[in-house]
Amino acid sequence: MLEAIENSALSTWIRESPAIYGYTLILAAHAVGLAIVMGTATAIALRLLGFPKEVPLAAMRKVFPVTFFGFWLNAISGVLLYITEIAKMNAMPAFWGKMSGVALGMVFLLIIRKRVFGDTASLELGVVPAGGRQLAYAMMFCWCLALIAGRLTGYPALVTMYFGI
């Protein structure tokens, strides 16, 4: 079934079309989505870690919809990119590292939204609830893993040469 998807008219068009709105536009959308997710997740994490203290903690709640927009932009563009090279991506450990980082990064983001930003009493006082800082570190680790592993998917020969995988 995956082979049929990879050989479908849509994936062939994305992969082989000389049109700028094919692979190029989808890859650009993926990069923009990544910048939005990484940028907003970093802003949330840094605020939980105390930087900058001048920004009210409660105000960071408004950032979550932007983060989710970036995630869905990445998810849609990522699926479209994935279907063009399913067999290649499935064989790459870096791809699965990226997917693990994305999944865990989103899990930690959702936990932060519920536990940290759901505690309105602490937020109004500007106090990070217990465990909030640890969640911020964990989330940032996962997003950095996703970013680095994602870049490594473009260089499978180097990954094999240096890491033997």
Side-chain angles (χ1 to χ4, degrees):
M1 181 163 133
L2 293 177
E3 187 177 331
I5 295 170
E6 187 171 354
N7 294 323
S8 70
L10 175 61
S11 63
T12 301
W13 177 81
I14 293 168
R15 185 175 50 248
E16 298 176 8
S17 174
I20 195 165
Y21 49 83
Y23 189 86
T24 304
L25 183 63
I26 294 167
L27 186 60
H30 200 63
V32 169
L34 173 65
I36 292 169
V37 170
M38 285 292 295
T40 56
T42 299
I44 291 165
L46 287 174
R47 182 57 194 94
L48 292 177
L49 296 171
F51 310 105
K53 288 194 180 290
E54 298 79 23
V55 175
L57 199 53
M60 295 304 292
R61 251 191 263 176
K62 295 177 182 176
V63 176
F64 284 94
V66 179
T67 308
F68 294 131
F69 169 77
F71 170 77
W72 286 111
L73 179 60
N74 251 15
I76 293 165
S77 60
V79 167
L80 291 173
L81 294 171
Y82 173 72
I83 67 170
T84 68
E85 298 183 304
I86 294 173
K88 180 181 172 185
M89 289 296 146
N90 283 349
M92 258 190 253
F95 174 74
W96 295 109
K98 170 188 175 175
M99 291 294 96
S100 298
V102 169
L104 290 171
M106 284 305 293
V107 166
F108 282 119
L109 182 74
L110 293 170
I111 292 170
I112 287 169
R113 186 179 72 163
K114 182 177 181 176
R115 289 191 190 164
V116 176
F117 289 89
D119 185 346
T120 53
S122 293
L123 284 184
E124 296 306 321
L125 294 172
V127 176
V128 176
R133 287 179 176 77
Q134 291 81 1
L135 287 168
Y137 282 122
M139 179 180 69
M140 287 314 304
F141 173 81
C142 292
W143 285 119
C144 288
L145 170 67
L147 177 68
I148 294 166
R151 286 305 307 134
L152 290 175
T153 62
Y155 307 98
L158 288 176
V159 171
T160 301
M161 182 171 63
Y162 286 114
F163 303 108
I165 54 174

